């Protein structure tokens, strides 16, 4: 079970404020392309699951993940997640020709086929993709990831932190953001949900 604190930043200005304040704690920046797959009849989505291929820049591999049964309450996200590395050339081939994905020698793909009853004759379809720029910081013994996620319909900004004490981390982050006058709100949609909705989240009240 992956547990993350997810706080949405109001806009590009808030994102810039945060990355500037955190700059002494900078570790690295990752540029990712995330592709999502399901069957033609939405077998995975109907069971609150999604298969993802994520391509980090400057890496010789792709991360293939199965995410299932996410919950996002008051800025704390819990999701069942299984991940493995896949050869970059093989993964790129699967994006170009989705019929290859069901034939891939991947533990996770095999698990999806077994658990969801996906045969090679049905195969997978690509639901689409989006880009994510992830700036990583190490602050107060926490790995913070500040995301700039670009969809066809706009850009979202978010700070994430995976931790076994999400409530404690959330309090610490909220105090930090308020002290620095950075407007934020609790994320109420996962990145995939935003992608599927086709529009940026609305109705959030930002603090401070």
């Amino acid at each position: 079970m992956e547990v993350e604190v997810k706080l949405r930043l109001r806009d590009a200005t808030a994102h810039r404020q945060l990355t500037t304040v955190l700059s002494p704690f900078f570790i690295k920046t990752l540029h990712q392309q995330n592709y999502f797959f399901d069957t033609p009849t939405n077998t995975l989505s109907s069971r609150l699951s999604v298969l993802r291929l994520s391509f980090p820049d400057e890496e010789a591999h792709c991360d293939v993940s199965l995410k299932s049964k996410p919950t996002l309450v008051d800025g704390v996200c819990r999701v069942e997640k299984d991940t493995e590395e896949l050869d970059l050339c093989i993964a790129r081939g699967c994006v170009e020709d989705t019929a290859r994905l069901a034939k891939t020698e991947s533990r996770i793909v095999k698990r999806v086929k077994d658990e969801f009853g996906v045969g090679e004759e049905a195969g997978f379809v690509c639901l689409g993709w989006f880009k994510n720029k992830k700036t990583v910081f190490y602050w107060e013994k926490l790995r913070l990831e500040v995301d700039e996620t670009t969809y066809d319909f706009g850009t979202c900004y978010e700070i994430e932190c995976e931790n076994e004490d999400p409530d404690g981390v959330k309090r610490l982050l909220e105090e930090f953001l308020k002290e620095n006058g950075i407007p934020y709100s609790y994320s109420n949609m996962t990145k995939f949900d935003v992608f599927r909705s086709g529009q940026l989240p609305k109705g959030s009240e930002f603090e401070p």
Side-chain angles (χ1 to χ4, degrees):
M1 177 71 69
E2 178 183 80
V3 182
E4 281 187 318
V5 174
K6 291 178 176 283
L7 302 178
R8 185 181 165 211
L9 302 171
R10 184 171 65 188
D11 50 25
T13 299
H15 176 273
R16 185 166 55 252
Q17 285 179 270
L18 179 57
T19 54
T20 299
V21 172
L22 287 174
S23 59
F25 311 100
F26 173 80
I27 301 297
K28 60 182 176 180
T29 299
L30 299 172
H31 297 267
Q32 302 171 319
Q33 294 178 332
N34 298 310
Y35 291 80
F36 299 89
F37 298 84
D38 202 339
T39 69
T41 55
N42 297 315
T43 305
L44 277 69
S45 298
S46 66
R47 294 169 60 179
L48 302 179
S49 298
V50 65
L51 181 64
R52 184 189 74 179
L53 297 184
S54 180
F55 296 88
D57 66 339
E58 300 181 358
E59 296 287 351
H61 70 272
C62 164
D63 293 326
V64 53
S65 303
L66 174 65
K67 290 189 171 186
S68 301
K69 301 175 182 176
T71 62
L72 181 51
V73 179
D74 293 335
V76 177
C77 182
R78 292 176 170 84
V79 62
E80 297 176 12
K81 182 180 178 181
D82 191 5
T83 302
E84 69 172 335
E85 293 183 0
L86 187 64
D87 178 83
L88 186 61
C89 291
I90 292 174
R92 286 293 183 193
C94 292
V95 171
E96 294 171 3
D97 179 5
T98 55
R100 298 183 185 181
L101 186 56
K103 302 175 183 179
T104 300
E105 294 295 325
S106 159
R107 175 183 60 81
I108 289 180
V109 172
K110 183 179 185 303
R111 178 186 165 192
V112 170
K113 290 162 65 177
D114 291 344
E115 292 186 12
F116 295 87
V118 180
E120 290 186 9
E121 66 282 355
F124 297 95
V125 295
C126 183
L127 302 176
W129 68 287
F130 58 75
K131 295 186 295 184
N132 188 42
K133 177 184 175 183
K134 185 180 295 291
T135 309
V136 183
F137 304 90
Y138 189 70
W139 172 83
E140 296 291 332
K141 300 182 179 179
L142 299 171
R143 177 189 167 98
L144 303 182
E145 299 177 349
V146 182
D147 290 346
E148 179 180 346
T149 308
T150 303
Y151 306 95
D152 289 341
F153 46 85
T155 302
C156 270
Y157 305 92
E158 195 172 41
I159 180 170
E160 297 182 338
C161 182
E162 183 178 351
N163 196 273
E164 295 180 358
D165 178 23
D167 292 331
V169 169
K170 188 169 71 170
R171 284 194 298 270
L172 188 63
L173 285 176
E174 288 192 81
E175 290 173 3
F176 176 72
L177 293 169
K178 288 178 180 178
E179 286 173 1
N180 288 278
I182 300 171
Y184 72 94
S185 67
Y186 295 154
S187 295
N188 53 20
M189 299 174 71
T190 67
K191 290 182 176 65
F192 179 69
D193 287 339
V194 173
F195 163 71
R196 290 292 272 172
S197 75
Q199 59 183 1
L200 298 180
K202 297 179 180 178
S204 296
E205 295 296 329
F206 288 93
E207 297 288 347

